[in-house]
């Protein structure tokens, strides 16, 4: 009997300082200091809180924690919002080439995503074609919101962006939706980590709101979209959205009812909700088949080894078993089968190729 795999569907990776092009530091777009203690942008720096931010240390960390494979998303700092066009194109191309090399060099350990900027449609379509056709990448990473060419913040699911999803549908891509840049969108003081602890969840809820209102899960049946951090507010807010839709139909002409998306087989959420009550709500509403493992490592809001947080990778699902929120079959599916279905849909050949690479390692 084949052993069940542990596949992490939400991971991140920093380049080593020497891998980052000089122009990115000169333009203060993004860089890592030589001591590997901080990641930096103009007017911003964040501590590197774990050595597993970097490749070789990440591999050691995965080995210690018995993680067979990880889906590496793009860095949120490299969505390109607010950059001049040429700088944005070069920065995102660096990110995608970096992730592609990681996947190429370690296909048994990593499936890597690529990012495009929805504010520049033609460039985004070109980059999707390049990443899929030339770099063999299958996970499209998108922000919940983006800044358009006139400085207006927009939902990534505005219908003006349909061309992106038409091409993703053609390629049958997995899509990851991740929040960031809340402090630039919302006119509040950036204190007590409010944009990570509160507003990221609102950004995910807002993105899910428009994804489902626009019926994208039906209009683009070949894509499979995962909302990061459990799309946590999307679960809590369902009743309010339904009441609003039913109570003010004049505001939703041509839109799809929120109920139609609940538990849809092409909509996924990761497990990173931090408590079993939230996980139970998500599973009760969406079904356990639509939930994938997401550790968000190596960030401190992810599931990392931490005495202060009494945490370790996989703790939430272990607690869910203990509290009978899920059973052993659901547990195994969230770690393996559901992640594979998000990545490859019903393509059993591609699923088996990845499983074989992992098991051969």
């Amino acid at each position: 009997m084949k052993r069940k795999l542990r596949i992490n569907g939400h991971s991140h990776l920093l380049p080593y300082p020497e891998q980052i092009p000089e122009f990115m530091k000169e333009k203060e777009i993004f860089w890592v200091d030589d001591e590997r203690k901080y990641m930096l942008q103009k007017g911003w720096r964040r501590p590197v809180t774990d050595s597993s931010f970097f490749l070789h240390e990440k591999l050691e960390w995965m080995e210690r924690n018995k993680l067979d494979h990880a889906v590496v998303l793009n860095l949120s700092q490299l969505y390109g919002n607010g950059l001049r066009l040429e700088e944005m194109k070069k920065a995102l191309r660096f990110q995608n080439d970096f992730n592609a090399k990681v996947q190429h060099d370690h296909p048994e350990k990593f499936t890597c995503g690529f990012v495009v900027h929805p504010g520049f449609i033609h460039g985004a379509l070109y980059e999707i074609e390049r990443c899929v056709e030339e770099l063999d990448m299958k996970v499209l990473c998108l922000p919940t919101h983006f800044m358009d060419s006139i400085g207006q913040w927009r939902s990534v699911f505005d219908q003006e962006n349909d061309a992106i999803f038409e091409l993703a549908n053609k390629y049958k891509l997995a899509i990851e939706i991740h929040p960031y840049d809340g402090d630039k969108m919302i006119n509040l003081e950036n204190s007590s980590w409010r944009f990570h602890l509160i507003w990221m969840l609102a950004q995910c809820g807002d993105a899910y709101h428009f994804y489902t209102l626009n019926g994208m899960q039906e209009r683009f049946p070949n894509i499979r979209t995962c909302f990061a951090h459990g799309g946590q507010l999307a679960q809590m807010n369902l009743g309010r959205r339904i009441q609003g839709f039913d109570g003010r139909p004049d505001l939703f002409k041509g839109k799809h009812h929120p109920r139609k998306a609940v538990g849809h087989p092409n909509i996924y959420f990761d497990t990173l909700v931090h408590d079993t009550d939230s996980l139970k709500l998500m599973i009760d509403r969406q079904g356990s088949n639509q939930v994938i493992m997401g550790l968000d490592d190596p960030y401190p809001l992810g599931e990392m080894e931490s005495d202060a947080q009494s945490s370790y990778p996989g703790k939430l699902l272990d607690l869910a078993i203990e509290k009978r929120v899920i059973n052993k079959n659901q547990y195994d599916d969230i770690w393996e089968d559901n992640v594979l279905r998000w990545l490859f849909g019903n393509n059993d050949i591609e699923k088996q190729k990845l499983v074989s690479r992992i098991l051969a390692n």
Side-chain angles (χ1 to χ4, degrees):
M1 181 177 176
K2 178 180 77 70
R3 70 176 176 88
K4 299 304 292 184
L5 298 176
R6 285 162 56 95
I7 304 175
N8 171 19
H10 182 165
S11 183
H12 297 277
L13 192 65
L14 275 179
Y16 290 105
E18 61 274 15
Q19 292 177 306
I20 299 174
E22 190 62 32
F23 82 89
M24 291 181 63
K25 184 174 182 179
E26 289 175 358
K27 300 286 187 180
E28 298 183 290
I29 296 171
F30 183 80
W31 74 101
V32 176
D33 72 299
D34 291 338
E35 289 76 32
R36 305 179 189 173
K37 292 183 177 179
Y38 292 95
M39 57 188 94
L40 303 101
Q41 292 179 295
K42 184 177 182 179
W44 175 92
R45 74 174 188 172
R46 180 172 182 167
V48 174
T49 50
D50 195 89
S51 63
S52 65
F53 267 102
F54 303 102
L55 175 61
H56 299 298
E57 293 81 356
K58 169 81 74 184
L59 289 167
E60 294 170 1
W61 180 83
M62 290 171 66
E63 183 71 22
R64 280 200 313 275
N65 288 285
K66 297 180 171 57
L67 300 172
D68 295 296
H69 195 81
V71 180
V72 174
L73 310 178
N74 70 287
L75 294 167
S76 298
Q77 293 82 5
L78 288 177
Y79 285 133
N81 288 316
L83 296 180
R84 293 184 177 183
L85 177 59
E86 288 306 314
E87 291 175 355
M88 180 273 293
K89 286 166 61 177
K90 289 197 294 184
L92 268 59
R93 187 176 182 116
F94 160 72
Q95 166 74 105
N96 294 340
D97 288 348
F98 170 78
N99 273 10
K101 187 174 190 309
V102 169
Q103 177 178 281
H104 177 271
D105 292 349
H106 303 276
E108 76 289 355
K109 287 296 182 184
F110 300 113
T111 295
C112 295
F114 65 94
V115 62
V116 300
H117 196 297
F120 304 93
I121 290 288
H122 295 299
L125 298 179
Y126 171 84
E127 186 66 357
I128 291 172
E129 289 181 351
R130 186 183 78 90
C131 288
V132 174
E133 299 281 0
E134 298 179 21
L135 303 181
D136 193 31
M137 303 176 86
K138 298 177 176 67
V139 181
L140 171 58
C141 300
L142 293 171
T144 58
H145 302 80
F146 68 97
M147 183 187 288
D148 68 17
S149 58
I150 60 171
Q152 176 68 45
W153 285 97
R154 309 276 296 277
S155 167
V156 72
F157 298 122
D158 280 2
Q159 289 186 324
E160 289 85 348
N161 293 333
D162 274 2
I164 289 175
F165 299 101
E166 288 168 1
L167 188 56
N169 192 68
K170 170 188 169 183
Y171 286 128
K172 301 182 179 180
L173 298 180
I175 296 178
E176 174 74 17
I177 303 300
H178 198 291
Y180 200 64
D181 285 332
D183 55 328
K184 299 174 185 175
M185 297 170 54
I186 300 151
N187 191 22
L188 286 171
E189 179 188 2
N190 192 355
S191 62
S192 300
W193 223 10
R194 73 192 323 162
F195 291 105
H196 278 72
L197 302 184
I198 309 299
W199 289 100
M200 274 191 165
L201 305 185
Q203 288 174 276
C204 283
D206 186 75
Y208 177 76
H209 182 56
F210 285 98
Y211 187 87
T212 58
L213 284 178
N214 291 334
M216 300 187 74
Q217 69 279 3
E218 302 290 347
R219 293 168 53 225
F220 305 109
N222 294 327
I223 62 173
R224 300 158 308 283
T225 302
C226 181
F227 291 85
H229 310 302
Q232 204 160 4
L233 188 62
Q235 318 303 337
M236 179 69 71
N237 202 34
L238 178 62
R240 186 174 180 86
R241 292 179 61 230
I242 289 172
Q243 180 149 346
F245 191 99
D246 292 341
R248 286 293 306 274
D250 57 303
L251 299 177
F252 299 96
K253 290 179 179 177
K255 299 298 184 182
H256 294 243
H257 198 286
R259 279 198 191 93
K260 291 183 177 180
V262 178
H264 194 281
N266 284 346
I267 301 177
Y268 292 80
F269 304 89
D270 70 28
T271 58
L272 198 77
V273 294
H274 304 287
D275 70 279
T276 53
D277 289 336
S278 295
L279 183 68
K280 184 178 187 303
L281 176 62
M282 178 165 61
I283 288 174
D284 286 347
R285 288 218 153 132
Q286 307 293 342
S288 64
N289 283 345
Q290 303 315 118
V291 178
I292 70 171
M293 173 52 77
L295 299 179
D296 199 14
D297 57 287
Y299 290 100
L301 280 175
E303 285 191 26
M304 299 294 295
E305 305 97 321
S306 170
D307 292 335
Q309 296 169 319
S310 182
S311 183
Y312 61 87
K315 177 187 177 182
L316 184 61
L317 277 201
D318 288 351
L319 283 176
I321 281 275
E322 182 182 315
K323 295 188 175 185
R324 299 184 179 179
V325 173
I326 57 174
N327 59 39
K328 185 60 166 61
N329 287 337
Q330 291 171 308
Y331 177 96
D332 289 340
D333 286 348
I334 289 170
W335 268 113
E336 178 181 351
D337 292 30
N338 298 354
V339 184
L340 292 173
R341 192 170 359 96
W342 168 55
L343 290 175
F344 303 112
N346 295 321
N347 191 332
D348 292 336
I349 294 175
E350 288 299 319
K351 291 178 193 175
Q352 190 54 52
K353 282 182 183 177
L354 178 57
V355 170
S356 296
R357 284 199 300 270
I358 295 170
L359 292 175
N361 181 42

